[in-house]
Amino acid sequence: MLLEPPGWEGSPQGLPHWPYVRAVDDALTVRGIPPGSVRADATTRGRGFTTYMWLTWDMSRTRGQRGIRLHWKERLGWFYALTGINSQDVLHYTVAPFRTVFPRPEDVAEVAERLVCFRQLPDMEYRTEWDGAEDVRAAGRDFRRSVLGLAPLAPPGHHERTRGRAGHRGRGGRAADDRHAHGHLRGGDHGRAGRVRAQPRCSGGPFAPRSVADD
């Protein structure tokens, strides 16, 4: 379970894409493959204040000699990377098999499981959009208006209701598990005891025969 991120003006509850971050994290946890770190933030003004998230599994959490990172960008969707011993060492980076910027969290978790456990991609494309996508898009637009000093377009309370539909559990939830988002998700940052994630259920053991980007 992730802690709440710091707020932004106009929405003190958190980052505009936070409902999607939490929904994806929950789906990965249900699959038994929670990432070792989660980073959620927005780019600088020069890059349009667009939101993003990184989900990282280092080598200790995958099968084989590579780590895995999933990268989501608000305007481009999902990408994946194979990483080296240092998770910042990207060996391969390409688009993930989604045909929507906001695929369902369950579909993201399915693709992540194939990458983390077997280092292969499913032989299919995912086209179904998450049912909370439009609300998060609206929150993103209002976030950018807010940082530019403009009034939001959404009615008051709209994004808070969105967070409720996306599985918001309030600030009384469990502490973050060795995670960070917007630089403030480690358990200690909020005066709560963080804990190290348990190993994914697929860690260790041989790879499946067909894998991606072995070179």
Side-chain angles (χ1 to χ4, degrees):
M1 180 61 61
L2 299 175
L3 292 174
E4 296 303 321
W8 47 278
E9 186 178 355
S11 183
Q13 289 75 18
L15 294 164
H17 61 316
W18 192 240
Y20 192 47
V21 176
R22 294 196 66 157
V24 170
D25 180 70
D26 287 347
L28 292 167
T29 300
V30 168
R31 283 263 176 176
I33 52 166
S37 75
V38 172
R39 180 178 179 182
D41 206 341
T43 62
T44 61
R45 180 170 184 161
R47 296 187 177 183
F49 298 121
T50 56
T51 57
Y52 66 88
M53 72 170 115
W54 288 359
L55 311 172
T56 303
W57 294 260
D58 63 23
M59 287 171 52
S60 70
R61 294 174 173 272
T62 65
R63 287 184 174 179
Q65 304 302 312
R66 300 288 186 268
I68 296 291
R69 180 187 300 156
L70 288 178
H71 185 194
W72 177 83
K73 305 177 184 181
E74 178 185 355
R75 292 174 178 167
L76 297 175
W78 286 94
F79 300 78
Y80 77 91
L82 296 181
T83 62
I85 295 176
N86 183 336
S87 61
Q88 300 302 313
D89 183 12
V90 176
L91 308 175
H92 178 76
Y93 186 84
T94 191
V95 67
F98 302 112
R99 294 298 173 261
T100 172
V101 170
F102 286 91
R104 297 185 310 163
E106 296 83 1
D107 293 339
V108 176
E110 182 173 322
V111 170
E113 184 175 41
R114 300 289 288 182
L115 287 169
V116 170
C117 295
F118 307 109
R119 208 166 63 193
Q120 51 175 238
L121 289 171
D123 293 324
M124 62 182 297
E125 294 181 342
Y126 299 83
R127 300 176 180 272
T128 304
E129 185 171 85
W130 177 53
D131 58 10
E134 282 304 313
D135 286 332
V136 173
R137 287 190 183 98
R141 288 191 293 269
D142 282 347
F143 164 67
R144 284 180 283 280
R145 292 180 63 85
S146 174
V147 296
L148 293 173
L150 302 174
L153 295 176
H158 174 79
H159 303 318
E160 286 75 7
R161 292 193 297 273
T162 297
R163 281 165 174 74
R165 290 197 298 275
H168 175 70
R169 289 180 174 83
R171 296 180 181 273
R174 289 175 285 172
D177 296 333
D178 194 29
R179 320 279 204 110
H180 62 282
H182 202 57
H184 291 279
L185 271 188
R186 295 189 185 279
D189 288 345
H190 289 262
R192 306 178 186 178
R195 58 181 179 174
V196 177
R197 281 281 191 179
Q199 289 296 95
R201 64 187 179 193
C202 64
S203 60
F207 273 116
R210 185 178 67 82
S211 60
V212 296
D214 280 329
D215 296 334

